[in-house]
Amino acid sequence: MSAVTLNNFSKSYGKMSVLSGIDLTINSGEFIALVGPSGCGKSTLLRMIAGLEEITGGNIEIGDRTVTDLAPKDRNIAMVFQSYALYPHLSVRSNMGFSLKLRKVATEKITSAINSASTMLGLDQLLERLPKALSGGQRQRVAMGRAIVRRPDVFLFDEPLSNLDAKLRVQMRSEIKSLHQDIKTTSIYVTHDQIEAMTMADRIVVMNKGNIEQAGAPLDIYDRPESKFVAGFIGSPAMNFFTAEYKPNGSDGFININDECTIPLPKLRTLQQGTVECGIRPEHLSLSKEKKTGHSIKVTVDVVEPTGLATIVYLSFGDQKICFYTSDRPDIGPGDTVYLQLSENKLHLFDVNTGKRLN
Amino acid sequence: MTAYTINRRLWSTGRYLALSLYVLFALFPLFWLFRVSISPTKLLYTEGTSLWPSMVTIENYLIVLQDTSFPTYFLNSVTVSLGTALCTTLIASAAGYAFSRFKFKGKAIIAFLLLLTQMFPLVMVIAPIYRLMQPLGLTDSLTGLIVVYTAFNTPFATFLMQSFFDAVPKDLEDAAMIDGCTRFQALIRIVLPLTLPGMMATLGFIFTAAWSELLFALMLINSESQVTFPVGLLNFISKFSVDWGQMMAAGFLALIPACIFFALIQKYLVTGMTAGAVKG
Ligand SMILES: Nc1ncnc2c1ncn2[C@@H]1O[C@H](COP(=O)(O)OP(=O)(O)OP(=O)(O)O)[C@@H](O)[C@H]1O
Ligand SMILES: [Mg+2]
């Protein structure tokens, strides 16, 4: 178990910069999820930590060693690939024992390490098989097993579950989480799936265009996104945004949405007055058929999607699309005119230009 | 039986029929080779094109093995073909790996030059090659033939090997390097076992190509002791007659090493070695 520290970690291909000065400390035993849109540099960052990709600038420490210039094999890390990358000509047993054998660990020790890992992962019956005779989920487990037997300082995962079907993904998700709770190895987990990130990680790092937008505990990021990008990226269905006018009012302030709805707010510290980007999550709206007192806007129903557990309603507010999420089953249909109330303490305000959080 | 199953049976019967016809067509010349080689010379012209001669003899084989230099030619050919196949596969594997895995300056140009060498008819380069080889003492020698064959087969073999290396996912090498290998160890322990079928195929291919090469062998070799078997076959054609029986017997014997060779490597030629490495 070791902490990982990245200092001004950067990468460019020729003139094109892919990562620009990443600073990040991952505590010993922590489970970090790296999320961000496709092409933002998550895999590149992970591969640089592994030593598979050359580092253009900055340095990396694992534990108390600076490993910037070390080969992958000398960093004592293990990586689980999206493609699993099992050695096709080796049995499950040899796949799992490969690294130990290279390190010339005694045969009995290798056997016992493989046995305990395979018991933990339910692979006992499959040890003599070749990878091609395994199902996707089993291959995934072997890849995990190969990482575990190493007892590495750090686990790296690059979208390990994205090739599995939805049900297996949920199952493996909780298996990986409980595995981490058992062995508590520092883990860095790249994923596209925000539910994975939210449920598994101690801390989520949201990346965008080669930068870290925000790093924090999952619920903190969800409740207090530091930028419009994070607010829109985390959460599904995604947060709704409107443009609104902010005006100060004595010691307080208020925002005005389309002259239709005025919502009082505590005064903003960084903005005198002007246009702001106002965000609210779909579950922080409430719907009524009649206009109620409070802060409501008049909208038209476009689509109603009952999922059983909840109902997701897509509505139009002028030419803006709004998503509303409720665990009720509202009696509405397309074309209906309804009112949405905005809970004033759930509003997120962002700067229109920089996208930074204002309130 | 429903119409569907009848239909399916018809299809599968048709498929086997077509395949059998194809195999028959491909193997018939070989059969004819054998048929002529065991026919007594005097019956060759009198019996015409009957499928099987009325009398069978091994006389042709005995003459070829005992009274001609065919055994020498044969050994020469084995030496040259094996030497060429080994050298070419070795060089092509190294080059193919580099093309598949590394970025380097001039990669595109080298690839283009390799391709360019494949575009000229061999006849055009024979004279310059001869002039080049003579001062080096490589004419009239089996080593010289191996050098020339290797040079001419390497470009194609390189592209062939590159495609086999390309088929091995890069993740496997990355995983091996994280697991504790150097790049070289990853190559030896992971990539090589997976490209072995490809190397064997290349080996077999180049062996066959060198085995049947005639042009260079004819031009570069003078002395009887260095002649390879394709050139040797021509000896059966004299000014006044062709000794068909002996020539066919020699030809049939020449098939043997190729058959043995392919029998040895055929287990590597089964596909699907990389199946299961990554989810496709
Ligand atoms: N060899 C390369 N040469 C040039 N650019 C590259 C190279 N490899 C990656 N890139 C660029 O680096 C950026 C980051 O790629 P990376 O694979 O890290 O993205 P990612 O965040 O993992 O995306 P995804 O979620 O789709 O896997 C991309 O814009 C990509 O085009
Ligand atoms: Mg990626």
Side-chain angles (χ1 to χ4, degrees), chain A residues 47 83 86-87 89 99 150, chain B residues 171-172 174 176 179 189 277-278:
Chain A
R47 292 170 57 81
S83 64
L86 301 180
Y87 310 129
H89 56 305
S99 60
R150 302 257 318 267
Chain B
D171 275 359
L172 289 183
D174 288 345
D179 269 351
R189 284 169 180 268
V278 297

Side-chain angles (χ1 to χ4, degrees), chain B residues 15 19 21 28 33 56 58 63 76 84 86 105 119 122 129 136-137 141 153-154 157 165 174 186 242 269 272 277:
Chain B
R15 222 169 24 230
L19 278 175
L21 278 177
F28 189 75
L33 183 79
V56 168
I58 58 163
I63 296 175
N76 287 343
T84 306
L86 287 175
K105 276 216 179 87
M119 295 200 292
L122 287 186
I129 291 277
L136 294 170
S141 98
N153 281 308
T154 298
F165 283 117
D174 288 345
V242 179
L269 297 180

Side-chain angles (χ1 to χ4, degrees), chain B residues 149-184:
Chain B
Y149 289 174
T150 303
F152 275 88
N153 281 308
T154 298
F156 173 75
T158 299
F159 290 126
L160 197 63
M161 281 312 299
Q162 183 193 349
S163 71
F164 286 114
F165 283 117
D166 283 345
V168 176
K170 217 171 165 301
D171 275 359
L172 289 183
E173 263 171 298
D174 288 345
M177 287 201 277
I178 287 179
D179 269 351
C181 290
T182 59
R183 178 172 278 280
F184 185 69

Side-chain angles (χ1 to χ4, degrees), chain A residues 13 16 18 36-45 158-159 192, chain B residues 103:
Chain A
Y13 290 105
M16 194 184 70
V18 175
S38 192
C40 71
K42 306 180 296 287
S43 300
T44 307
L45 181 60
D158 194 354
E159 309 195 29
H192 260 121
Chain B
K103 270 191 205 159

Side-chain angles (χ1 to χ4, degrees), chain B residues 74-169:
Chain B
F74 191 85
L75 273 181
N76 287 343
S77 263
V78 169
T79 314
V80 170
S81 303
L82 261 184
T84 306
L86 287 175
C87 291
T88 307
T89 307
L90 222 61
I91 297 172
S93 299
Y97 182 76
F99 272 118
S100 167
R101 289 300 197 261
F102 300 131
K103 270 191 205 159
F104 48 90
K105 276 216 179 87
K107 184 171 169 177
I109 294 175
I110 296 175
F112 176 74
L113 287 177
L114 284 180
L115 215 59
L116 201 68
T117 60
Q118 303 290 289
M119 295 200 292
F120 299 102
L122 287 186
V123 195
M124 270 176 64
V125 291
I126 285 204
I129 291 277
Y130 191 84
R131 291 297 304 257
L132 207 66
M133 304 291 276
Q134 205 172 25
L136 294 170
L138 287 174
T139 50
D140 200 18
S141 98
L142 296 181
T143 320
L145 270 191
I146 294 180
V147 170
V148 173
Y149 289 174
T150 303
F152 275 88
N153 281 308
T154 298
F156 173 75
T158 299
F159 290 126
L160 197 63
M161 281 312 299
Q162 183 193 349
S163 71
F164 286 114
F165 283 117
D166 283 345
V168 176

